[in-house]
Amino acid sequence: GEGSDEETCWIRLHDDQTLSQVASYSLKPGEWGQALCSGRLDDSQTEYVVVGTSFVETENEPSTGRLLVFSIEEGRFVMLHEAHVDTGVNVVVISNGKLFVASRAKLHLYEWQGHAATGTNTRLECLSSVGSFTWIIGLKVVNDYAVVCDLMKSISLVVYSPLTGALEVAAEEVQPQWTTAVEFVEEDIYVVGENNFNLYVCRRNADSASEDERRRLSVEGEFHLGDYVNTFRPGSLVIAPPDADTESYKITLIGCKSGAIYSMISLSSEKFQALTELQQAIATHIHPVGGLPYADWRSFASNARSKPSQGFVDGDMVELYLDLPLQTQQAVAQQCQMTLEQCLSFVEEMHRLH
């Protein structure tokens, strides 16, 4: 028939041990599931599943979409509410009982209202909307702070005020960037993936005396990763040994289009300076592949500009120290004003973190 070639999208529930399918829910014809999250939206112990969808028609761009709220009862989806959203849904995130929803050029804040125990009059209510973004492709939320990753306009920090119930753009990175993903490093520091295989880090200047400075996110670090970043996630791929000082480090995983996973480790200023000196010393003893200078390879380069790497240490370069001949290791340690044992211990400590 006429609709026989039309694809149908499903929401599926799988067992966390066997991965076998437990339940499924069919979306409407032409409706695509774009985003999914789970969490608590009220004071009950109910874990809600929220799905954001888009209806894609002939122009291949979403015209409208839906927010679907489910609970999981006895291994099946129970639809509790649906809300229509203009232009479709790109990202959904639950934080502090509130639902943040990105729909193309706007960020919305929803609240779950009604009586959860009885299911009476439960619904999503839009409290606030903000922004004239180009296209929101990423969103991360910590408490009442949301970092919006825009396709062409870099990132913006949006703050929710519980007193007014409104969202407000508190600060922006003014340099246009083709971004791919974003993550909190700290509450006022954010790492961003850029379309030309770069990373950069922005900081919020919340304590500045200047209003202009407070509303501008300053770029603190730039680095050519050489891989297209799809996502960031806090966490680690290894279990730290008992003697490791894990409290001194925060690790962010970087998932890339190539399938590679990188670890980004936050450092104290003292260790950053020491590792930078070690990296520079090692570079003087390494012959670059194809004659490309190491500094040129790691320079931040996009269609708009090119700048030397700053604010990052190349862990791959640092760990090459362990593979160098003993004589070269001693020369590098001497350049860094360290003993061979100190140098080896330092690099091995970093190696154990990932």
Side-chain angles (χ1 to χ4, degrees), residues 5-64:
D5 294 333
E6 192 164 30
E7 295 185 16
T8 300
C9 293
W10 298 77
I11 306 163
R12 302 192 189 278
L13 181 66
H14 292 263
D15 186 275
D16 64 345
Q17 299 296 320
T18 66
L19 300 183
S20 60
Q21 182 177 312
V22 176
S24 63
Y25 182 89
S26 174
L27 299 179
K28 294 181 178 181
E31 184 178 26
W32 290 64
Q34 300 283 79
L36 182 148
C37 68
S38 64
R40 295 178 182 175
L41 291 170
D42 52 29
D43 296 332
S44 71
Q45 298 300 309
T46 303
E47 186 88 2
Y48 296 95
V49 176
V50 179
V51 178
T53 75
S54 296
F55 288 92
V56 180
E57 299 178 353
T58 55
E59 71 275 12
N60 292 324
E61 290 189 7
S63 53
T64 60

Side-chain angles (χ1 to χ4, degrees), residues 31-285:
E31 184 178 26
W32 290 64
Q34 300 283 79
L36 182 148
C37 68
S38 64
R40 295 178 182 175
L41 291 170
D42 52 29
D43 296 332
S44 71
Q45 298 300 309
T46 303
E47 186 88 2
Y48 296 95
V49 176
V50 179
V51 178
T53 75
S54 296
F55 288 92
V56 180
E57 299 178 353
T58 55
E59 71 275 12
N60 292 324
E61 290 189 7
S63 53
T64 60
R66 292 192 298 166
L67 288 170
L68 309 177
V69 183
F70 299 92
S71 63
I72 307 297
E73 299 179 13
E74 299 180 352
R76 63 187 182 90
F77 288 107
V78 177
M79 166 80 82
L80 301 177
H81 180 73
E82 69 172 278
H84 290 272
V85 181
D86 293 338
T87 72
V89 178
N90 290 355
V91 191
V92 290
V93 178
I94 294 175
S95 179
N96 284 349
K98 298 289 191 296
L99 178 66
F100 291 78
V101 177
S103 63
R104 190 183 292 188
K106 286 190 175 183
L107 179 65
H108 311 277
L109 180 68
Y110 285 84
E111 185 177 59
W112 186 240
Q113 298 183 349
H115 304 285
T118 63
T120 306
N121 296 326
T122 51
R123 66 192 186 279
L124 284 174
E125 189 74 23
C126 187
L127 301 181
S128 180
S129 299
V130 70
S132 55
F133 302 101
T134 306
W135 192 294
I136 300 175
I137 61 171
L139 173 67
K140 292 298 175 71
V141 183
V142 172
N143 298 321
D144 296 327
Y145 298 90
V147 178
V148 175
C149 183
D150 188 275
L151 178 66
M152 296 174 61
K153 294 169 63 177
S154 192
I155 64 170
S156 302
L157 177 67
V158 178
V159 178
Y160 164 65
S161 170
L163 294 177
T164 63
L167 295 173
E168 178 185 359
V169 177
E172 298 175 293
E173 206 273 287
V174 297
Q175 176 72 40
Q177 306 270 17
W178 289 77
T179 59
T180 63
V182 68
E183 182 59 81
F184 283 85
V185 178
E186 297 177 11
E187 193 170 89
D188 59 351
I189 300 175
Y190 326 104
V191 59
V192 191
E194 193 267 345
N195 187 62
N196 291 281
F197 307 157
N198 300 302
L199 296 174
Y200 63 98
V201 171
C202 291
R203 177 189 293 274
R204 182 190 185 194
N205 305 300
D207 297 328
S208 175
S210 167
E211 174 68 18
D212 287 343
E213 288 296 319
R214 290 196 299 271
R215 296 192 63 83
R216 182 182 299 116
L217 298 176
S218 59
V219 176
E220 300 287 315
E222 296 170 299
F223 183 78
H224 182 71
L225 181 66
D227 220 333
Y228 185 98
V229 177
N230 274 338
T231 188
F232 296 99
R233 288 289 187 276
S236 175
L237 295 176
V238 299
I239 299 175
D243 60 338
D245 184 17
T246 55
E247 296 297 323
S248 301
Y249 306 101
K250 180 175 180 180
I251 302 176
T252 302
L253 298 178
I254 307 172
C256 296
K257 185 177 180 180
S258 67
I261 299 176
Y262 299 83
S263 293
M264 188 184 77
I265 304 171
S266 300
L267 302 168
S268 66
S269 58
E270 294 80 9
K271 288 189 175 180
F272 174 79
Q273 183 61 37
L275 285 170
T276 298
E277 292 175 2
L278 180 58
Q279 171 187 277
Q280 292 170 345
I282 294 171
T284 63
H285 295 271

